[in-house]
Amino acid sequence: MLSLHKITSPIVAPSFGTFRSTEVVRQHHVGYVSPREDPKYYLRCAADLMREYRRLVEQGENLTLIVNTCGWIKGMGRELLQELVSVCEPTDAVGLGEVDGVFAEILPDGKKVKRHLLEAAGSGAVVGNTGGSQLFTPADLRTLQTIAYFHQQPTSGEEDEYTPSFDFEKHLTAVPPLIAAYKGSAKVIHGVTILDTDITPDLVFTALNATVVAVKLVRKDDSEHPATQYLEDVYGENSDVTPYIPANQFDGTSGMLPAEGTVTAGLAVVRGVDEANGELQLLMPMHEDEINGWLESGYRIILCRGRDEMPVYLMWDWRDGRAGQKGRRGTGSCGGVDKMPYLDFVVGGEVTGKGAKEWKVRRNIMRRGQQRRQ
């Protein structure tokens, strides 16, 4: 996610513990853990968030904007920083570590941007740091943040939505899913897309099942939106077909859902697919009243699968004796973790589990000795 937040109270915890400290104003699902996969879309999202920030300032809100960049300062990362500086027009730039040379390249001359170098910040305390070694990697923190996000309790709108509550006693697999139709007269899901992937429509739900997807909203009356145009041109009033939108139809991997005119409501886990009845089972920290509110307000819902990481512990309850340590040795009643679809585990330094290995396809048609020499 690339997000614009209002900080409502001091942030004194790592990312997975700051849900009570910020209020989401607007957010965009980039779909990757790094901007390198789609830098063009990353910058479009950043520009859209800046427009929203400036709109709030024009309305009279007294705000100070802090832009937290990704810390990638070489090659394409440096070019992205230059573009972000152009979009955000900062008054001050704070560097963590030895980045004085980077400042000279990314900060425009004549703008009088104040430079601040915090030399000690690069070696300061980190979460769980008791002796100089980092106990939590960035991937660990992302995993914890994702788990915390999906264990939020949905609110019906009467409670304070910016003071979330959490339930970590009940595993996600024990939470009743929301049933959302993707075809028929009661259709709730109006489109699905998979970033950076070109597959046939009959494999769409195989690719979506047991993945994290973004819940995106597009207004029905936004006739200029490319996703609206595609759905109407290809599907029209036909509600009995899979609403698949190939990602390669538009500019870039995410261009078919431009930042402008697209609202990202949050994330969901596709727990299961009922193709016979045309329904998806979704796990999300959103109340059904909120979803119905979007539909009543004239929005279409489009699910977008990126490369979001699915933490194993969201879909595997380690406290369940059937899949515990006995299962790891293949003696449990479930027959071991190798029988669990979609999940992989690191056992003895080796990745195991059903589907853990990549399917490698040989693309050469002939042996090298059989090829005609030019």
Side-chain angles (χ1 to χ4, degrees):
M1 291 285 193
L2 200 59
S3 310
L4 179 65
H5 292 253
K6 283 185 180 179
I7 300 176
T8 56
S9 62
I11 296 177
V12 293
S15 59
F16 59 86
T18 59
F19 289 86
R20 296 176 183 270
S21 301
T22 63
E23 167 193 333
V24 178
V25 177
R26 185 167 172 78
Q27 60 187 353
H28 291 298
H29 177 250
V30 179
Y32 306 98
V33 298
S34 167
R36 70 162 53 88
E37 310 297 340
D38 198 345
K40 184 176 180 180
Y41 187 64
Y42 175 84
L43 290 172
R44 288 172 64 177
C45 292
D48 185 72
L49 296 180
M50 282 302 304
R51 283 191 292 270
E52 179 64 16
Y53 164 73
R54 289 176 176 133
R55 185 186 68 81
L56 294 175
V57 173
E58 290 174 359
Q59 291 179 346
E61 295 202 40
N62 185 17
L63 301 171
T64 297
L65 180 67
I66 300 174
V67 180
N68 181 22
T69 64
C70 65
W72 184 18
I73 61 174
K74 295 182 179 180
M76 184 186 296
R78 188 166 300 191
E79 295 177 15
L80 282 173
L81 279 177
Q82 289 175 323
E83 294 291 338
L84 283 175
V85 167
S86 176
V87 168
C88 300
E89 299 179 334
T91 58
D92 296 72
V94 179
L96 307 182
E98 300 289 342
V99 293
D100 197 21
V102 178
F103 278 172
E105 294 188 21
I106 67 171
L107 298 179
D109 295 331
K111 293 290 185 178
K112 296 183 179 180
V113 179
K114 297 179 182 178
R115 306 179 184 185
H116 309 269
L117 286 175
L118 305 181
E119 299 290 347
S123 58
V126 291
V127 180
N129 188 0
T130 56
S133 61
Q134 296 186 16
L135 300 183
F136 294 97
T137 66
D140 293 334
L141 295 175
R142 285 197 302 269
T143 295
L144 290 168
Q145 186 175 17
T146 302
I147 291 175
Y149 173 82
F150 280 108
H151 279 276
Q152 290 181 86
Q153 294 289 89
T155 59
S156 61
E158 299 177 357
E159 303 93 339
D160 183 359
E161 59 179 318
Y162 302 120
T163 307
S165 60
F166 300 84
D167 181 6
F168 293 103
E169 291 300 320
K170 184 184 298 181
H171 192 267
L172 208 63
T173 54
V175 176
L178 290 173
I179 306 300
Y182 60 84
K183 63 181 181 181
S185 58
K187 180 167 60 177
V188 173
I189 307 301
H190 299 86
V192 295
T193 187
I194 302 171
L195 300 186
D196 200 21
T197 302
D198 184 15
I199 62 175
T200 57
D202 60 307
L203 294 176
V204 170
F205 294 116
T206 301
L208 281 180
N209 200 10
T211 64
V212 177
V213 295
V215 180
K216 299 200 174 188
L217 310 176
V218 176
R219 292 200 63 86
K220 291 182 181 178
D221 56 7
D222 187 358
S223 59
E224 299 299 320
H225 197 289
T228 300
Q229 293 176 350
Y230 184 86
L231 289 172
E232 292 178 352
D233 292 345
V234 175
Y235 295 102
E237 299 299 324
N238 188 354
S239 61
D240 294 325
V241 294
T242 303
Y244 174 53
I245 307 174
N248 62 359
Q249 289 294 314
F250 305 97
D251 181 25
T253 60
S254 310
M256 45 72 61
L257 290 176
E260 307 84 358
T262 303
V263 177
T264 301
L267 300 175
V269 171
V270 181
R271 171 174 167 167
V273 181
D274 184 351
E275 295 193 57
N277 294 316
E279 296 175 339
L280 296 178
Q281 299 176 11
L282 300 177
L283 297 170
M284 63 177 88
M286 305 172 211
H287 198 275
E288 58 186 296
D289 291 346
E290 184 179 356
I291 299 173
N292 289 328
W294 301 330
L295 298 173
E296 293 169 1
S297 300
Y299 283 99
R300 285 190 173 106
I301 298 177
I302 298 176
L303 301 183
C304 181
R305 199 205 89 176
R307 300 303 170 94
D308 307 75
E309 298 170 345
M310 168 73 85
V312 166
Y313 294 105
L314 276 183
M315 301 304 290
W316 176 58
D317 189 354
W318 61 272
R319 296 170 298 188
D320 186 350
R322 296 175 304 164
Q325 293 299 319
K326 292 182 179 180
R328 285 183 178 273
R329 294 192 291 270
T331 59
S333 59
C334 278
V337 297
D338 58 319
K339 301 295 184 181
M340 299 179 185
Y342 306 112
L343 302 184
D344 53 79
F345 302 81
V346 178
V347 179
E350 181 181 356
V351 179
T352 64
K354 193 171 184 179
K357 302 295 183 181
E358 294 183 1
W359 181 31
K360 296 182 179 180
V361 180
R362 294 185 62 183
R363 301 189 181 279
N364 57 310
I365 300 176
M366 298 181 296
R367 295 181 184 277
R368 185 177 299 276
Q370 296 174 314
Q371 295 178 1
R372 179 183 300 176
R373 296 184 180 275
Q374 301 294 330

